[in-house]
Amino acid sequence: MQFKEIVGQEATKQRLLNTVSENRVSHAQLFLGPEGSGSLALAVAYAQYLSCEDKQPGDSCGVCSSCRKYQKLMHPDLHFSYPFFAKHKDDTALTFIEQWRGALTANPYLSLDIWRGYLDAENKQANINIAECHQIIKKLSFKPFESEYKILILWLPEYLDKEGNALLKIIEEPQPNTLFLLVAQNQDQILNTILSRTQLVKIPALEYDEIKEHLISVHHQTEEAAAEIAYLSNGNMTEALAMLQQDNKSYHELFVQWLRYCFGNKGIEVMAFVEQFAKMGRENQKNFLRYGTSFIRECCLLIAGAGSLVHLPAKELDTAQKMSNVLSIGKSQMIIDELEKAHYHVERNANPKILFLDVSLQIIKILINKNVPAGNQYMPS
């Protein structure tokens, strides 16, 4: 993995490069960024750069012996630790290393849900067990084989329970030229004893334009399709790439037509839409509801006079401006509440026909109710 393969994050890349050029490489670093920001890919690219035999000013060379091994994730001085679904108490990350290499090579923007699909997870909870902690200590007790550094990339340290305290000594007093790169999403869920021993590298969510440009240039999406996916993904490249695999990626017209039928209290047309929703599949249903929630929030900004904060493609912006003339902030908040509740229930496998019929009826009631407060004093229950 090279820095040039990672979408956006130019400021973070430069900071990482500077630590090497200025000889300020901390032995324990925490790459903290939301899902889909590229934090895991950045950690791998950083490790590859540190081990590269012919470092270029802005990236690893990509062709030396070390880089070629890194591209296959098979360098002897590169180690990974990650949550897994243990069947036996002595299972460690090495038990699943082939699946891990396959998953990370296929998608550098890996999520726990995608990783679960590579394993026989059943109903087990993911964790990093005490056997894995002992394995980490054992692996890192040796000197580097080929490179200047021996590097451990620990993905999602949030899944280290109290067993993670076994790693404190080796994190605080590692062997010379041993690096810990922790890649996390939720700082509050990491053991404080580990958090206090790491240097923080904050990684922001990706920008709308960065995702849109990547979808157009690399995945050959039309400008309209790329704009909608980029908007819907909300800075999460993992979500954006997942949407590329789905058949129906255009939710705008469907959502607006649904609201029009609800506004007109057209029962027969609403029932036809409910049948259509039920056949969309769970992921498309979730994305449809997520789109609707985001779109109504943009309408709220227009109603509140904060149009400069609205980030919608031209066609959708025109629709939002028209809708803002008939919606109030109070009604918008109530609709958002219903959509968010529906998303929650779709994730938990609710019957889609019953669910979308109920949501439709609730939205009809909201839209035709003349007594909903106009301002933001409405608080969802």
Side-chain angles (χ1 to χ4, degrees):
M1 176 66 63
Q2 292 179 278
F3 286 123
K4 67 181 181 182
E5 299 172 48
I6 301 169
V7 178
Q9 307 297 3
E10 298 306 321
T12 304
K13 292 174 187 176
Q14 192 58 54
R15 284 201 303 272
L16 294 173
L17 291 167
N18 290 344
T19 64
V20 181
S21 62
E22 298 169 7
N23 198 24
R24 293 187 292 103
V25 178
S26 174
H27 75 274
Q29 301 180 46
L30 174 62
F31 286 58
L32 182 66
E35 181 185 284
S37 61
S39 49
L40 177 58
L42 282 167
V44 177
Y46 183 50
Q48 179 169 323
Y49 184 76
L50 286 163
S51 301
C52 178
E53 298 166 6
D54 184 22
K55 295 179 181 65
Q56 305 299 302
D59 214 336
S60 51
C61 71
V63 295
C64 69
S65 173
S66 175
C67 284
R68 290 199 303 271
K69 291 172 184 175
Y70 259 85
Q71 286 162 3
K72 297 178 182 178
L73 305 178
M74 296 180 70
H75 196 287
D77 292 319
L78 174 66
H79 303 279
F80 289 100
S81 184
Y82 36 79
F84 51 86
F85 308 90
K87 292 184 178 180
H88 311 99
K89 65 179 182 180
D90 55 350
D91 280 345
T92 66
L94 282 174
T95 309
F96 310 99
I97 189 62
E98 291 305 318
Q99 294 96 317
W100 172 258
R101 287 174 179 148
L104 185 53
T105 301
N107 187 356
Y109 295 89
L110 197 61
S111 69
L112 190 61
D113 282 343
I114 295 172
W115 173 228
R116 176 186 285 270
Y118 280 79
L119 303 175
D120 183 15
E122 299 175 350
N123 291 321
K124 299 183 180 70
Q125 293 295 315
N127 77 326
I128 301 173
N129 60 13
I130 189 63
E132 173 61 10
C133 294
H134 291 157
Q135 182 68 27
I136 290 172
I137 294 169
K138 180 181 177 181
K139 285 188 291 193
L140 298 186
S141 62
F142 301 108
K143 295 179 180 179
F145 285 98
E146 296 180 6
S147 299
E148 181 181 356
Y149 294 101
K150 180 181 285 289
I151 302 173
L152 172 77
I153 297 177
L154 198 165
W155 184 54
L156 298 183
E158 297 95 317
Y159 289 86
L160 273 170
D161 204 353
K162 61 182 183 297
E163 291 88 351
N165 288 318
L167 300 175
L168 296 182
K169 182 173 176 59
I170 197 167
I171 291 177
E172 197 160 21
E173 301 175 12
Q175 290 286 334
N177 292 356
T178 298
L179 302 183
F180 288 85
L181 304 181
L182 284 68
V183 181
Q185 296 174 8
N186 300 294
Q187 184 173 344
D188 294 341
Q189 296 177 15
I190 303 171
L191 291 171
N192 286 328
T193 47
I194 289 180
L195 196 60
S196 63
R197 289 165 169 80
T198 59
Q199 181 180 40
L200 183 62
V201 180
K202 294 195 78 170
I203 300 165
L206 290 170
E207 297 290 335
Y208 165 86
D209 288 332
E210 291 172 337
I211 294 180
K212 178 183 172 183
E213 176 57 32
H214 177 75
L215 295 175
I216 293 172
S217 60
V218 177
H219 296 280
H220 312 296
Q221 296 294 298
T222 64
E223 176 133 359
E224 184 178 353
E228 185 163 302
I229 294 173
Y231 169 67
L232 191 56
S233 65
N234 196 27
N236 184 337
M237 183 60 78
T238 307
E239 286 286 344
L241 295 176
M243 289 177 208
L244 290 176
Q245 310 303 317
Q246 295 158 18
D247 296 331
N248 184 0
K249 296 188 281 288
S250 181
Y251 303 106
H252 174 67
E253 291 184 7
L254 186 66
F255 180 75
V256 171
Q257 189 61 59
W258 180 45
L259 282 188
R260 284 174 179 152
Y261 286 147
C262 290
F263 186 75
N265 197 10
K266 298 182 178 180
I268 295 175
E269 288 84 351
V270 167
M271 287 300 299
F273 260 66
V274 168
E275 292 288 338
Q276 185 176 349
F277 293 148
K279 297 173 183 177
M280 284 171 65
R282 194 160 71 104
E283 290 306 312
N284 275 320
Q285 290 166 1
K286 286 163 59 180
N287 287 334
F288 172 80
L289 292 165
R290 192 183 293 119
Y291 174 83
T293 302
S294 299
F295 183 76
I296 296 296
R297 284 186 177 132
E298 301 289 326
C299 291
C300 281
L301 290 173
L302 290 170
I303 296 167
S308 61
L309 300 177
V310 174
H311 201 96
L312 284 172
K315 180 181 177 182
E316 296 175 33
L317 177 60
D318 181 62
T319 306
Q321 288 170 334
K322 292 175 182 175
M323 288 187 61
S324 64
N325 294 324
V326 297
L327 283 175
S328 66
I329 289 180
K331 288 185 177 183
S332 299
Q333 289 175 326
M334 295 175 78
I335 292 172
I336 288 170
D337 187 38
E338 293 300 328
L339 296 174
E340 287 180 338
K341 286 192 292 186
H343 186 279
Y344 173 88
H345 291 299
V346 168
E347 282 192 321
R348 283 148 186 82
N349 294 315
N351 183 298
K353 285 187 180 181
I354 296 174
L355 176 64
F356 279 100
L357 177 58
D358 179 64
V359 176
S360 300
L361 294 174
Q362 294 300 325
I363 290 176
I364 289 171
K365 186 166 69 173
I366 292 166
L367 291 174
I368 65 176
N369 188 349
K370 304 294 185 183
N371 298 317
V372 174
N376 59 5
Q377 61 265 50
Y378 167 74
M379 296 295 292
S381 59

